[in-house]
Amino acid sequence: MPQFTDLLFYALAGLTLLFGFLTVLNPLSRSPVTSAMFLVLTIISMAGLFVLLHAFFLAAVQVLVYAGAVMVVFLFVIMLLDLKADERRHFNKIAVGVGGLSALAIAGTLVASIVKTVPVSQTAGRLAEGETKALGRLLFESHILPFEILSVLLLVAMVGAILITKKDLR
Amino acid sequence: MEAIKYLSPTAQMILFSALKIGVVFGVVMTAVAYAVLVERKVSAWIQNRVGPNRTAPFFINYLPVIGPFLVKLGIFQPAADGLKFLLKEDFTPSYVRKVYFWLAPAITVIPALLTVAVIPFGSNLGSEKMVIADLNVGILYTFGIVSLGVYGIVLAGYGSNSKYPFLGSIRSTAQMISYEIAMGMSVIPIFILTESLNLSDIIRYQAEHGWMILKQPLAFVIFLIAAFAETNRLPFDLPESESELVGGYHTEYSSMKFALFFLGEYANMIASAAMMVTLFLGGWTLPFIDALNLPASSLLLGLIHIGVFFAKMAFFMIVFIWVRWMLPRFRYDQLMDLGWRRFIPLALANIVVTALVVSLFNN
């Protein structure tokens, strides 16, 4: 049923945009915790979009890593800091300007890449079965070097974070 | 029954799925209610008490012998408890953050119930597979959904806007993330051996090559202990630890909202028991008897498979309950130490060793 999946796509895409908007600009609440919760909802609706593309592995990992782990740590930090001042803060004109500019830049990049991409209709069919294996092969065979560099980069960031928090090590 | 054949495949799928969802939901809810009863009875026996033995509906007088026996077992206690939770005053303190305070109990229960969707609780009845959603990434789905369960506790603590719940929720974030890592890593050797993320495939592999608990005892131990931490059960129930935090994250809750947290905890126990049965104890299969090891050929065998699965699950539920009343609570630093400095390195070593052995034997 193609119409049904189309309908689902528009519903999920709409929800993603709505939640994303509410993350940065919520008219009802300025609480950072609310923003974080809407970001979680954005991530979950994006996982729904992955499911529509038959990319179940990506969808599951998206929820597992971003919604389940990263955002929980975010919440942890927000709750510990208890950003009361931030709730009353008014709009910073420079921040709004810079934010709008970068949003425009990203939108431009996305539109350009959509226009330039040649549609490949077979991709979804190929991904539907054994995509976890295919993804693993891609990561560990053809893209092993960038993958390893990325993991070392993450390790560096982690060591750096520990170094900053440990005052007596400096 | 004949009419079903004339429906389109999609309509059949929707009908059978709805049926399975309804039945599984009902069974899980009943199991939760009776798990509470078993918990009370087992704790009573361990502490040399009698446990619930009074609740008797009016019609019990018409049943000779069996009636009083059922009353002594406390069979009707869950119904009385449920009614009590529904009828008690639902008090909302004035200082809470209302939206989160209301959302938190629901967020605790829903993920626990969603997990059950991918678990194959039997082979098949007729031509219908006994799993609601036979996902290719079944186990990742489970971990993803389980990881969302922590929001219920975090938001309960934040929404309550008072000190003890807040401390409880801060503890739970750190604890659940830590043990999720150990839990996730402990199952990787299983994927290396079975070469699949699908839970039905993992059961098929175990039927052919023997149960996973014999091949990966270390992974099983890590998973079991991490399951205690993930479900917030003693010896790791620090988010609620009643002796220091009153009730932890659910201190401010009353009536049905309070009951939902308990429902969530027991549903989580059932879900992790089902996961352990599927991953390590061969799911619905029993070795040495061919009829029980292969997908069912008749309706009766299908029902026996479901029975086998439930028996194994009940075993783990009893273990959960038994451990709770036998062990004291860990200190928070001990808990973190155990998670990060013992289990994660052990799980990593287990992955490396398994991968080495598999690659050596395959060549």
Side-chain angles (χ1 to χ4, degrees), chain B residues 45-89:
Chain B
W45 292 331
I46 286 175
Q47 296 169 346
N48 208 3
R49 293 184 282 116
V50 185
N53 66 340
R54 302 291 167 89
T55 323
F58 64 92
F59 57 79
I60 211 71
N61 295 331
Y62 303 112
L63 286 171
V65 190
I66 303 172
F69 179 67
L70 290 181
V71 169
K72 266 200 173 153
L73 277 182
I75 294 292
F76 306 103
Q77 189 65 39
D81 284 349
L83 205 65
K84 184 187 80 179
F85 275 128
L86 277 173
L87 296 179
K88 271 204 166 180
E89 186 193 355

Short mmCIF file of all heavy atoms in Angstrom, two decimals, chain B residues 45-89:
data_model
loop_
_atom_site.label_atom_id
_atom_site.label_comp_id
_atom_site.label_asym_id
_atom_site.label_seq_id
_atom_site.Cartn_x
_atom_site.Cartn_y
_atom_site.Cartn_z
N TRP B 45 7.42 -16.54 53.39
CA TRP B 45 8.01 -17.83 53.73
C TRP B 45 9.46 -17.66 54.15
O TRP B 45 9.93 -18.30 55.09
CB TRP B 45 7.91 -18.79 52.54
CG TRP B 45 6.50 -19.20 52.26
CD1 TRP B 45 5.50 -19.30 53.18
CD2 TRP B 45 5.92 -19.54 51.01
NE1 TRP B 45 4.34 -19.69 52.58
CE2 TRP B 45 4.56 -19.85 51.25
CE3 TRP B 45 6.41 -19.62 49.71
CZ2 TRP B 45 3.70 -20.22 50.23
CZ3 TRP B 45 5.55 -20.01 48.69
CH2 TRP B 45 4.20 -20.30 48.94
N ILE B 46 10.17 -16.77 53.45
CA ILE B 46 11.59 -16.56 53.78
C ILE B 46 11.72 -15.99 55.19
O ILE B 46 12.62 -16.34 55.95
CB ILE B 46 12.26 -15.64 52.73
CG1 ILE B 46 12.46 -16.42 51.43
CG2 ILE B 46 13.60 -15.11 53.23
CD1 ILE B 46 13.00 -15.60 50.30
N GLN B 47 10.76 -15.11 55.56
CA GLN B 47 10.83 -14.48 56.88
C GLN B 47 9.99 -15.23 57.91
O GLN B 47 9.68 -14.68 58.96
CB GLN B 47 10.36 -13.03 56.77
CG GLN B 47 11.27 -12.21 55.89
CD GLN B 47 10.69 -10.86 55.57
OE1 GLN B 47 9.51 -10.62 55.78
NE2 GLN B 47 11.53 -9.97 55.06
N ASN B 48 9.62 -16.45 57.57
CA ASN B 48 8.85 -17.29 58.49
C ASN B 48 7.51 -16.64 58.91
O ASN B 48 7.15 -16.61 60.08
CB ASN B 48 9.68 -17.61 59.75
CG ASN B 48 9.26 -18.92 60.36
OD1 ASN B 48 8.39 -19.61 59.82
ND2 ASN B 48 9.84 -19.26 61.49
N ARG B 49 6.81 -16.08 57.90
CA ARG B 49 5.47 -15.54 58.12
C ARG B 49 4.49 -16.35 57.28
O ARG B 49 4.89 -17.34 56.65
CB ARG B 49 5.41 -14.07 57.70
CG ARG B 49 6.24 -13.13 58.55
CD ARG B 49 6.04 -11.68 58.12
NE ARG B 49 6.77 -11.35 56.92
CZ ARG B 49 6.21 -11.00 55.78
NH1 ARG B 49 4.89 -10.95 55.68
NH2 ARG B 49 6.93 -10.70 54.72
N VAL B 50 3.23 -15.91 57.23
CA VAL B 50 2.24 -16.65 56.46
C VAL B 50 1.95 -15.97 55.12
O VAL B 50 1.73 -16.62 54.11
CB VAL B 50 0.93 -16.80 57.25
CG1 VAL B 50 -0.04 -17.67 56.50
CG2 VAL B 50 1.23 -17.38 58.61
N GLY B 51 1.95 -14.64 55.12
CA GLY B 51 1.63 -13.93 53.88
C GLY B 51 0.14 -13.74 53.72
O GLY B 51 -0.64 -14.14 54.59
N PRO B 52 -0.31 -13.11 52.62
CA PRO B 52 -1.74 -12.84 52.43
C PRO B 52 -2.55 -14.13 52.44
O PRO B 52 -2.28 -15.03 51.65
CB PRO B 52 -1.81 -12.14 51.06
CG PRO B 52 -0.49 -12.34 50.43
CD PRO B 52 0.49 -12.60 51.52
N ASN B 53 -3.53 -14.27 53.36
CA ASN B 53 -4.31 -15.50 53.45
C ASN B 53 -5.74 -15.24 53.91
O ASN B 53 -6.39 -16.10 54.46
CB ASN B 53 -3.63 -16.48 54.41
CG ASN B 53 -3.64 -15.97 55.83
OD1 ASN B 53 -3.80 -14.77 56.05
ND2 ASN B 53 -3.47 -16.86 56.78
N ARG B 54 -6.24 -13.99 53.71
CA ARG B 54 -7.58 -13.66 54.23
C ARG B 54 -8.56 -13.27 53.13
O ARG B 54 -9.75 -13.46 53.31
CB ARG B 54 -7.49 -12.47 55.21
CG ARG B 54 -6.59 -12.70 56.39
CD ARG B 54 -7.19 -13.73 57.31
NE ARG B 54 -6.21 -14.20 58.29
CZ ARG B 54 -6.00 -13.64 59.45
NH1 ARG B 54 -6.71 -12.59 59.80
NH2 ARG B 54 -5.09 -14.11 60.28
N THR B 55 -8.09 -12.69 52.02
CA THR B 55 -9.02 -12.13 51.05
C THR B 55 -9.93 -13.21 50.49
O THR B 55 -9.46 -14.16 49.88
CB THR B 55 -8.26 -11.48 49.88
OG1 THR B 55 -7.10 -10.87 50.40
CG2 THR B 55 -9.11 -10.50 49.14
N ALA B 56 -11.25 -13.05 50.73
CA ALA B 56 -12.19 -14.06 50.26
C ALA B 56 -13.43 -13.38 49.71
O ALA B 56 -14.12 -12.66 50.43
CB ALA B 56 -12.57 -14.98 51.40
N PRO B 57 -13.74 -13.55 48.43
CA PRO B 57 -15.00 -13.02 47.89
C PRO B 57 -16.18 -13.82 48.43
O PRO B 57 -15.99 -14.93 48.94
CB PRO B 57 -14.83 -13.21 46.38
CG PRO B 57 -13.83 -14.29 46.22
CD PRO B 57 -12.94 -14.27 47.43
N PHE B 58 -17.39 -13.26 48.30
CA PHE B 58 -18.56 -13.86 48.98
C PHE B 58 -18.88 -15.28 48.50
O PHE B 58 -19.32 -16.12 49.24
CB PHE B 58 -19.79 -12.96 48.79
CG PHE B 58 -20.21 -12.83 47.36
CD1 PHE B 58 -21.16 -13.69 46.84
CD2 PHE B 58 -19.66 -11.86 46.53
CE1 PHE B 58 -21.55 -13.59 45.53
CE2 PHE B 58 -20.03 -11.75 45.22
CZ PHE B 58 -20.97 -12.62 44.71
N PHE B 59 -18.58 -15.58 47.19
CA PHE B 59 -19.00 -16.89 46.66
C PHE B 59 -18.11 -18.03 47.15
O PHE B 59 -18.37 -19.19 46.86
CB PHE B 59 -19.04 -16.86 45.13
CG PHE B 59 -17.73 -16.48 44.48
CD1 PHE B 59 -16.71 -17.41 44.35
CD2 PHE B 59 -17.52 -15.17 44.01
CE1 PHE B 59 -15.53 -17.07 43.76
CE2 PHE B 59 -16.32 -14.82 43.43
CZ PHE B 59 -15.32 -15.77 43.29
N ILE B 60 -17.07 -17.72 47.91
CA ILE B 60 -16.14 -18.75 48.31
C ILE B 60 -16.78 -19.75 49.25
O ILE B 60 -16.38 -20.90 49.33
CB ILE B 60 -14.89 -18.10 48.95
CG1 ILE B 60 -13.65 -18.95 48.68
CG2 ILE B 60 -15.03 -17.88 50.42
CD1 ILE B 60 -13.21 -18.92 47.27
N ASN B 61 -17.86 -19.30 49.96
CA ASN B 61 -18.52 -20.20 50.91
C ASN B 61 -19.18 -21.38 50.23
O ASN B 61 -19.42 -22.42 50.83
CB ASN B 61 -19.58 -19.42 51.70
CG ASN B 61 -18.92 -18.37 52.56
OD1 ASN B 61 -17.77 -18.55 52.97
ND2 ASN B 61 -19.61 -17.28 52.79
N TYR B 62 -19.51 -21.20 48.91
CA TYR B 62 -20.20 -22.30 48.22
C TYR B 62 -19.23 -23.36 47.71
O TYR B 62 -19.64 -24.38 47.20
CB TYR B 62 -21.00 -21.73 47.04
CG TYR B 62 -21.99 -20.67 47.48
CD1 TYR B 62 -21.82 -19.34 47.13
CD2 TYR B 62 -23.07 -21.02 48.29
CE1 TYR B 62 -22.71 -18.37 47.57
CE2 TYR B 62 -23.96 -20.06 48.73
CZ TYR B 62 -23.78 -18.73 48.37
OH TYR B 62 -24.65 -17.78 48.80
N LEU B 63 -17.91 -23.09 47.79
CA LEU B 63 -16.92 -24.06 47.33
C LEU B 63 -16.33 -24.79 48.53
O LEU B 63 -15.59 -24.20 49.30
CB LEU B 63 -15.78 -23.35 46.57
CG LEU B 63 -16.04 -22.82 45.16
CD1 LEU B 63 -14.86 -21.98 44.70
CD2 LEU B 63 -16.27 -23.97 44.20
N PRO B 64 -16.67 -26.06 48.72
CA PRO B 64 -16.07 -26.78 49.85
C PRO B 64 -14.61 -27.14 49.57
O PRO B 64 -14.23 -27.33 48.41
CB PRO B 64 -16.95 -28.03 49.97
CG PRO B 64 -17.51 -28.22 48.60
CD PRO B 64 -17.55 -26.90 47.92
N VAL B 65 -13.79 -27.25 50.56
CA VAL B 65 -12.38 -27.68 50.52
C VAL B 65 -11.51 -26.76 49.65
O VAL B 65 -10.57 -26.13 50.13
CB VAL B 65 -12.23 -29.15 50.05
CG1 VAL B 65 -10.80 -29.60 50.28
CG2 VAL B 65 -13.20 -30.03 50.81
N ILE B 66 -11.85 -26.69 48.33
CA ILE B 66 -11.00 -25.90 47.43
C ILE B 66 -11.03 -24.42 47.81
O ILE B 66 -10.01 -23.75 47.82
CB ILE B 66 -11.45 -26.06 45.96
CG1 ILE B 66 -11.45 -27.55 45.59
CG2 ILE B 66 -10.56 -25.28 45.02
CD1 ILE B 66 -12.08 -27.83 44.24
N GLY B 67 -12.24 -23.93 48.15
CA GLY B 67 -12.41 -22.53 48.46
C GLY B 67 -11.46 -22.02 49.53
O GLY B 67 -10.64 -21.14 49.28
N PRO B 68 -11.55 -22.60 50.73
CA PRO B 68 -10.65 -22.14 51.80
C PRO B 68 -9.17 -22.30 51.43
O PRO B 68 -8.34 -21.47 51.81
CB PRO B 68 -11.01 -23.06 52.96
CG PRO B 68 -12.40 -23.50 52.69
CD PRO B 68 -12.53 -23.57 51.21
N PHE B 69 -8.86 -23.33 50.65
CA PHE B 69 -7.47 -23.55 50.23
C PHE B 69 -6.99 -22.39 49.37
O PHE B 69 -5.90 -21.83 49.57
CB PHE B 69 -7.38 -24.87 49.47
CG PHE B 69 -6.00 -25.17 48.96
CD1 PHE B 69 -4.96 -25.44 49.85
CD2 PHE B 69 -5.74 -25.18 47.60
CE1 PHE B 69 -3.69 -25.71 49.38
CE2 PHE B 69 -4.47 -25.44 47.13
CZ PHE B 69 -3.45 -25.71 48.02
N LEU B 70 -7.84 -21.98 48.39
CA LEU B 70 -7.49 -20.86 47.52
C LEU B 70 -7.32 -19.59 48.34
O LEU B 70 -6.41 -18.78 48.08
CB LEU B 70 -8.56 -20.66 46.44
CG LEU B 70 -8.65 -21.73 45.37
CD1 LEU B 70 -9.75 -21.38 44.37
CD2 LEU B 70 -7.33 -21.90 44.65
N VAL B 71 -8.18 -19.41 49.31
CA VAL B 71 -8.08 -18.21 50.15
C VAL B 71 -6.74 -18.21 50.89
O VAL B 71 -6.06 -17.19 50.98
CB VAL B 71 -9.26 -18.16 51.15
CG1 VAL B 71 -9.02 -17.09 52.19
CG2 VAL B 71 -10.54 -17.88 50.40
N LYS B 72 -6.35 -19.37 51.39
CA LYS B 72 -5.08 -19.47 52.11
C LYS B 72 -3.91 -19.14 51.20
O LYS B 72 -2.91 -18.57 51.63
CB LYS B 72 -4.91 -20.88 52.69
CG LYS B 72 -5.41 -20.98 54.11
CD LYS B 72 -4.82 -22.17 54.82
CE LYS B 72 -5.22 -22.13 56.27
NZ LYS B 72 -5.27 -23.46 56.86
N LEU B 73 -4.04 -19.53 49.92
CA LEU B 73 -2.97 -19.22 48.96
C LEU B 73 -2.96 -17.74 48.60
O LEU B 73 -2.00 -17.24 48.02
CB LEU B 73 -3.14 -20.05 47.69
CG LEU B 73 -2.59 -21.46 47.71
CD1 LEU B 73 -2.81 -22.11 46.36
CD2 LEU B 73 -1.11 -21.47 48.05
N GLY B 74 -4.05 -17.04 48.91
CA GLY B 74 -4.12 -15.62 48.59
C GLY B 74 -4.46 -15.35 47.14
O GLY B 74 -4.14 -14.28 46.61
N ILE B 75 -5.14 -16.31 46.49
CA ILE B 75 -5.45 -16.18 45.06
C ILE B 75 -6.23 -14.90 44.75
O ILE B 75 -6.09 -14.32 43.68
CB ILE B 75 -6.26 -17.42 44.58
CG1 ILE B 75 -5.39 -18.67 44.65
CG2 ILE B 75 -6.79 -17.23 43.17
CD1 ILE B 75 -4.26 -18.73 43.68
N PHE B 76 -7.04 -14.44 45.68
CA PHE B 76 -7.90 -13.28 45.40
C PHE B 76 -7.27 -11.96 45.82
O PHE B 76 -7.83 -10.91 45.61
CB PHE B 76 -9.26 -13.46 46.09
CG PHE B 76 -9.90 -14.77 45.73
CD1 PHE B 76 -9.89 -15.83 46.61
CD2 PHE B 76 -10.47 -14.93 44.48
CE1 PHE B 76 -10.47 -17.03 46.26
CE2 PHE B 76 -11.04 -16.13 44.12
CZ PHE B 76 -11.03 -17.20 45.01
N GLN B 77 -6.09 -12.05 46.43
CA GLN B 77 -5.43 -10.84 46.92
C GLN B 77 -5.14 -9.82 45.80
O GLN B 77 -5.39 -8.63 45.99
CB GLN B 77 -4.13 -11.23 47.63
CG GLN B 77 -3.45 -10.11 48.37
CD GLN B 77 -4.28 -9.60 49.54
OE1 GLN B 77 -4.90 -10.39 50.23
NE2 GLN B 77 -4.29 -8.30 49.72
N PRO B 78 -4.60 -10.25 44.62
CA PRO B 78 -4.31 -9.26 43.57
C PRO B 78 -5.53 -8.45 43.18
O PRO B 78 -5.41 -7.24 42.94
CB PRO B 78 -3.81 -10.13 42.40
CG PRO B 78 -3.26 -11.34 43.04
CD PRO B 78 -4.11 -11.60 44.23
N ALA B 79 -6.70 -9.08 43.10
CA ALA B 79 -7.92 -8.34 42.73
C ALA B 79 -8.22 -7.27 43.77
O ALA B 79 -8.52 -6.12 43.43
CB ALA B 79 -9.09 -9.31 42.61
N ALA B 80 -8.08 -7.64 45.05
CA ALA B 80 -8.34 -6.68 46.12
C ALA B 80 -7.33 -5.53 46.05
O ALA B 80 -7.69 -4.35 46.19
CB ALA B 80 -8.27 -7.38 47.46
N ASP B 81 -6.05 -5.88 45.81
CA ASP B 81 -5.01 -4.85 45.72
C ASP B 81 -5.31 -3.89 44.58
O ASP B 81 -5.21 -2.66 44.73
CB ASP B 81 -3.64 -5.50 45.48
CG ASP B 81 -3.09 -6.12 46.74
OD1 ASP B 81 -3.66 -5.85 47.81
OD2 ASP B 81 -2.10 -6.86 46.66
N GLY B 82 -5.66 -4.45 43.42
CA GLY B 82 -5.95 -3.62 42.25
C GLY B 82 -7.09 -2.66 42.54
O GLY B 82 -7.02 -1.47 42.24
N LEU B 83 -8.16 -3.18 43.15
CA LEU B 83 -9.32 -2.36 43.48
C LEU B 83 -8.92 -1.24 44.44
O LEU B 83 -9.32 -0.09 44.30
CB LEU B 83 -10.40 -3.25 44.10
CG LEU B 83 -11.82 -2.75 43.96
CD1 LEU B 83 -12.21 -2.75 42.50
CD2 LEU B 83 -12.76 -3.61 44.78
N LYS B 84 -8.10 -1.59 45.41
CA LYS B 84 -7.65 -0.60 46.39
C LYS B 84 -6.90 0.53 45.71
O LYS B 84 -7.15 1.72 45.98
CB LYS B 84 -6.76 -1.28 47.43
CG LYS B 84 -6.33 -0.34 48.54
CD LYS B 84 -5.32 -1.00 49.45
CE LYS B 84 -3.95 -0.96 48.84
NZ LYS B 84 -2.92 -1.56 49.69
N PHE B 85 -5.99 0.17 44.79
CA PHE B 85 -5.20 1.19 44.09
C PHE B 85 -6.10 2.12 43.29
O PHE B 85 -5.88 3.32 43.22
CB PHE B 85 -4.19 0.54 43.16
CG PHE B 85 -2.91 0.17 43.85
CD1 PHE B 85 -2.39 -1.10 43.75
CD2 PHE B 85 -2.21 1.12 44.58
CE1 PHE B 85 -1.21 -1.43 44.38
CE2 PHE B 85 -1.03 0.80 45.21
CZ PHE B 85 -0.53 -0.48 45.12
N LEU B 86 -7.15 1.53 42.67
CA LEU B 86 -8.03 2.35 41.84
C LEU B 86 -8.87 3.30 42.68
O LEU B 86 -9.17 4.41 42.27
CB LEU B 86 -8.96 1.44 41.02
CG LEU B 86 -8.38 0.88 39.73
CD1 LEU B 86 -9.34 -0.13 39.13
CD2 LEU B 86 -8.12 2.00 38.74
N LEU B 87 -9.27 2.85 43.87
CA LEU B 87 -10.24 3.63 44.65
C LEU B 87 -9.58 4.60 45.62
O LEU B 87 -10.24 5.49 46.15
CB LEU B 87 -11.16 2.68 45.43
CG LEU B 87 -12.05 1.80 44.53
CD1 LEU B 87 -12.90 0.89 45.36
CD2 LEU B 87 -12.92 2.67 43.64
N LYS B 88 -8.28 4.46 45.88
CA LYS B 88 -7.63 5.37 46.83
C LYS B 88 -7.58 6.78 46.29
O LYS B 88 -7.59 7.00 45.08
CB LYS B 88 -6.21 4.87 47.11
CG LYS B 88 -6.15 3.90 48.25
CD LYS B 88 -4.77 3.89 48.87
CE LYS B 88 -4.82 3.19 50.20
NZ LYS B 88 -3.49 3.17 50.82
N GLU B 89 -7.46 7.75 47.20
CA GLU B 89 -7.41 9.14 46.75
C GLU B 89 -6.12 9.39 45.98
O GLU B 89 -5.04 9.02 46.42
CB GLU B 89 -7.47 10.08 47.95
CG GLU B 89 -7.56 11.53 47.52
CD GLU B 89 -7.30 12.50 48.65
OE1 GLU B 89 -7.14 12.05 49.79
OE2 GLU B 89 -7.25 13.69 48.37
#
